[in-house]
Amino acid sequence: CMSYTSPSGNYTWTQDGVYTDTISNSVGGDSIITISLSIDAMPYSTTFSNGYNTGYGVRVGNFVNELTGWGTYWDWDMATAFITKTTDGGLTYTSQSIPGNYIGGVYFVDLNTGYACGNNGSGNSIAKSTNGGATWITSTLPTAYINQLNTIKFLDALHGTAGGYGGALYVTTDGGNTW
């Protein structure tokens, strides 16, 4: 985003910084909050190298440095999901294919190791790449949850979570070997 409006609605900030805001409650007391803000300039719409426009169906993943990042893209016209990768800070993206018919989220812990979650047509699945997204190995998860996974995050190389609709939650403590 290019700006942030304070919770009170009294301020709009466009630069990184530490700001304060005062929020009044219904009984006349004020709460003063401190906000540490980082504005990330991401393009709203761009074009993949395969020509697809990303104006819709895009879910943000993460950047591992100032230039390299991933996201997911669902092309409704083609009913196809892609992982998207940028190596120039989001100016251009290339698509990477992944097994499955739905990709809900993607997260990379470094330039090589990344995870994607979604539904592979047989149930919830999590895929892992160890080569920057060039290839993926997909595993179908236990069917405890029938809803699609739509987010995945890692604290470090070993500890991660994947979640989805209806309270679906999977946890790994071994780098995605087991969930």
Side-chain angles (χ1 to χ4, degrees), residues 41-94:
M42 296 290 293
Y44 172 75
S45 180
T46 189
T47 303
F48 296 140
S49 61
N50 63 6
Y52 301 120
N53 187 300
T54 65
Y56 64 94
V58 175
R59 291 179 178 250
V60 175
N62 71 301
F63 277 72
V64 295
N65 60 38
E66 64 278 354
L67 296 176
T68 307
W70 289 262
T72 63
Y73 172 69
W74 176 258
D75 186 313
W76 294 103
D77 297 328
M78 295 180 59
T80 303
F82 300 99
I83 298 290
T84 62
K85 181 179 181 180
T86 182
T87 57
D88 58 13
L91 297 176
T92 60
Y93 286 84
T94 56

Side-chain angles (χ1 to χ4, degrees), residues 9-164:
N10 293 331
Y11 307 100
T12 299
W13 299 301
T14 59
Q15 296 181 17
D16 295 354
V18 177
Y19 301 97
T20 59
D21 191 20
T22 303
I23 302 172
S24 298
N25 65 28
S26 61
V27 293
D30 290 340
S31 295
I32 299 174
I33 61 171
T34 301
I35 301 166
S36 179
L37 182 63
S38 176
I39 302 288
D40 295 323
M42 296 290 293
Y44 172 75
S45 180
T46 189
T47 303
F48 296 140
S49 61
N50 63 6
Y52 301 120
N53 187 300
T54 65
Y56 64 94
V58 175
R59 291 179 178 250
V60 175
N62 71 301
F63 277 72
V64 295
N65 60 38
E66 64 278 354
L67 296 176
T68 307
W70 289 262
T72 63
Y73 172 69
W74 176 258
D75 186 313
W76 294 103
D77 297 328
M78 295 180 59
T80 303
F82 300 99
I83 298 290
T84 62
K85 181 179 181 180
T86 182
T87 57
D88 58 13
L91 297 176
T92 60
Y93 286 84
T94 56
S95 61
Q96 299 175 319
S97 62
I98 187 171
N101 64 352
Y102 174 82
I103 302 168
V106 62
Y107 192 88
F108 273 75
V109 296
D110 57 40
L111 286 171
N112 293 310
T113 307
Y115 302 86
C117 67
N119 187 304
N120 65 5
S122 301
N124 285 324
S125 65
I126 295 178
K128 181 177 181 178
S129 176
T130 57
N131 56 11
T135 59
W136 298 83
I137 298 171
T138 301
S139 60
T140 299
L141 301 171
T143 58
Y145 302 102
I146 59 171
N147 295 310
Q148 297 181 57
L149 296 175
N150 60 10
T151 187
I152 189 163
K153 302 287 186 237
F154 272 73
L155 179 62
D156 55 37
L158 296 176
H159 301 90
T161 59

